Amino acid sequence: MTSAALPSPARRPSWAGRNYSLLTAASVVTNLGSQGALIAAAFAVLQSGGGAGDVGLVAAARTLPLVLFLLIGGALADRLPRHRVMVAANTLNFLSQGAFALLVLTGDPRLWQMMALTALGGVGQAFFGPASEGMLMSSVNGTEAGRAFAFYRMAMHGAGIGGAALGGALIAAFGAGWVLAIDAAAFAVAGALRAFLDVSHIPPREAGGGMVSDLREGWREFVSRPWLWSIVVQFAVVNAVVAAAEAVYGPLVARDELGGPGPWGLALAAFGAGTVGGAFLMMRWKPRRLLLAGSLCVFPLALPSAALAVPLPVTALAAVMLLTGVSIEVFGVSWMTALNQEIPEDKLSRVSAYDWLGSIAMVPLATALAGPAQSAVGRTSALWGCSALVVLLTAAVLCVPDVRRLTRRAEPAAVAGCEVSADAEGAVGRLG
């Protein structure tokens, strides 16, 4: 009599190598903490006696060093082992956020102290972001890269939604200081996970001509590809006008036309659900023309501004935000797959830094000008203007031949002078 075969233990998908799994787990941990900490930082400022302007100053204190140090962070991450840059950045974030939490829990924090500690967090993010993106892209290659990126983004967005909800509840129950302390602990845990990343499959970097030379080399790589710089320029403006619409005009429309902050919170939750749904879709869909499919899905980003301009009822606005969330994930996964496929491994972090810089550089300016624009032309006209800019810039990008023609390759290209082995540790088949 033979015994029935026992079921084999569940195995990770072929594209989820060791590095990829560590990166995903660490990013989920930090997103859970960071989303709640964003809310906690604002409440810490308000509870210390600050106003809306002070909240804006603390937010700007994080953005400014992020913009200033991004390119240096990208060059450094292509020069040093990326996991060491990531761990060092996480350590800085742990120390700065821990000090912020201690100030809030034990005393009366001053505005300049909160700004200084938040600025240190921005410095850490400037060095972490390009290194993280380069590390993720070097951990995935091949035909399943798009699926890997989609799962990574789905996990990130899910953690972000959960972190924001949990953070709000914890602030109400225990206060902002404890949420900031949890975020500091999350950075420590994530840094410990990232310390175990294996970089043995990445070819050693040859000695270069210095930081300036590295930056120039990254710039040449960036400007030599019309599809790359044209989309980065597009999103410099698109991200700026979308941020102005959602961070400034959205709450105002909700207050004046929709019944208060509740409906706007519902709309933002629908957007978050859409991003998770879009990532889930991209785990199954592999568009052959990566950037054509992705760029066509940028057009719906014009819809939230238009919906606020009308304004649509809450249920219709939530439906628009849901669709927008799905659409932006189709673009995001397609964009990451194109970068993974086309950019040499030894230049990934520098190119990523230029991408990040383009994505955030104009956001503070746009949000600062949103109020004056409303005073000059009216809120409705300003919102229609935001929609028009998204449509016009996306149509212009589709006129770039490389955007329409770039296709998904069945096999990874040779990168940085070598072919990445399909069975290399963590390099099975990649990520702001």
Side-chain angles (χ1 to χ4, degrees):
M1 181 177 179
T2 59
S3 60
L6 294 175
S8 59
R11 298 183 62 188
R12 291 179 300 190
S14 61
W15 41 265
R18 179 176 178 274
N19 277 2
Y20 174 87
S21 299
L22 283 170
L23 287 165
T24 303
S27 295
V28 166
V29 170
T30 50
N31 248 32
L32 279 170
S34 296
Q35 292 304 310
L38 290 174
I39 304 170
F43 273 92
V45 175
L46 294 173
Q47 289 167 3
S48 69
D54 295 326
V55 173
L57 286 174
V58 171
R62 180 178 181 84
T63 305
L64 182 60
L66 182 57
V67 171
L68 291 176
F69 289 102
L70 260 175
L71 296 183
I72 297 173
L76 193 68
D78 277 341
R79 177 179 286 264
L80 301 176
R82 293 188 180 112
H83 70 309
R84 294 183 182 175
V85 178
M86 296 166 70
V87 171
N90 283 165
T91 302
L92 178 59
N93 286 129
F94 161 68
L95 293 173
S96 61
Q97 201 72 317
F100 195 170
L102 193 62
L103 278 176
V104 175
L105 289 170
T106 62
D108 182 20
R110 300 290 186 264
L111 178 62
W112 70 267
Q113 295 172 322
M114 293 186 284
M115 290 178 64
L117 291 169
T118 302
L120 284 176
V123 172
Q125 186 61 37
F127 285 89
F128 173 82
S132 173
E133 192 141 340
M135 192 71 210
L136 181 63
M137 293 211 181
S138 69
S139 74
V140 178
N141 75 47
T143 58
E144 298 300 322
R147 180 172 294 180
F149 298 147
F151 181 84
Y152 179 90
R153 291 174 69 95
M154 183 168 63
M156 289 272 289
H157 292 312
I161 294 169
L166 181 62
L170 289 175
I171 292 168
F174 303 106
W178 287 109
V179 175
L180 293 168
I182 290 171
D183 187 40
F187 278 118
V189 172
L193 289 172
R194 288 162 177 144
F196 289 100
L197 291 167
D198 180 7
V199 296
S200 61
H201 65 287
I202 301 176
R205 291 348 184 231
E206 295 182 3
M211 186 70 70
V212 174
S213 176
D214 285 353
L215 289 171
R216 287 174 178 166
E217 188 178 12
W219 175 251
R220 287 193 295 269
E221 186 72 31
F222 177 75
V223 298
S224 67
R225 303 173 187 272
W227 63 267
L228 177 59
W229 63 258
S230 63
I231 289 179
V232 170
V233 170
Q234 171 202 15
F235 267 86
V237 179
V238 168
N239 282 344
V241 298
V242 168
E246 295 188 358
V248 180
Y249 298 138
L252 293 174
V253 172
R255 182 195 65 187
D256 297 340
E257 306 286 348
L258 302 178
W264 185 235
L266 176 64
L268 293 178
F271 176 81
T275 60
V276 174
F280 187 78
L281 168 66
M282 292 304 288
M283 290 188 68
R284 287 153 177 76
W285 183 37
K286 296 181 180 180
R288 181 171 174 270
R289 297 200 177 189
L290 288 165
L291 296 181
L292 177 61
S295 295
L296 288 173
C297 286
V298 178
F299 281 113
L301 267 68
L303 295 177
S305 297
L308 290 169
V310 173
L312 292 181
V314 176
T315 52
L317 176 61
V320 165
M321 296 292 280
L322 180 73
L323 173 63
T324 305
V326 173
S327 300
I328 196 59
E329 282 307 294
V330 175
F331 170 81
V333 174
S334 299
W335 177 246
M336 291 176 66
T337 306
L339 292 176
N340 171 259
Q341 175 179 287
E342 300 295 325
I343 305 300
E345 193 280 333
D346 63 323
K347 299 180 180 67
L348 278 171
S349 290
R350 279 169 286 177
V351 169
S352 171
Y354 283 109
D355 180 16
W356 273 57
L357 184 62
S359 297
I360 66 171
M362 293 184 65
V363 169
L365 178 64
T367 53
L369 292 178
Q374 176 177 277
S375 299
V377 301
R379 186 192 304 158
T380 299
S381 296
L383 283 164
W384 283 119
C386 291
S387 292
L389 281 171
V390 173
V391 171
L392 291 173
L393 286 164
T394 304
V397 159
L398 287 171
C399 294
V400 178
D402 287 352
V403 171
R404 301 193 307 272
R405 297 172 186 167
L406 192 145
T407 58
R408 183 190 302 270
R409 285 199 294 265
E411 296 296 334
V415 174
C418 68
E419 186 76 27
V420 180
S421 169
D423 58 359
E425 179 64 67
V428 191
R430 168 172 177 305
L431 177 107

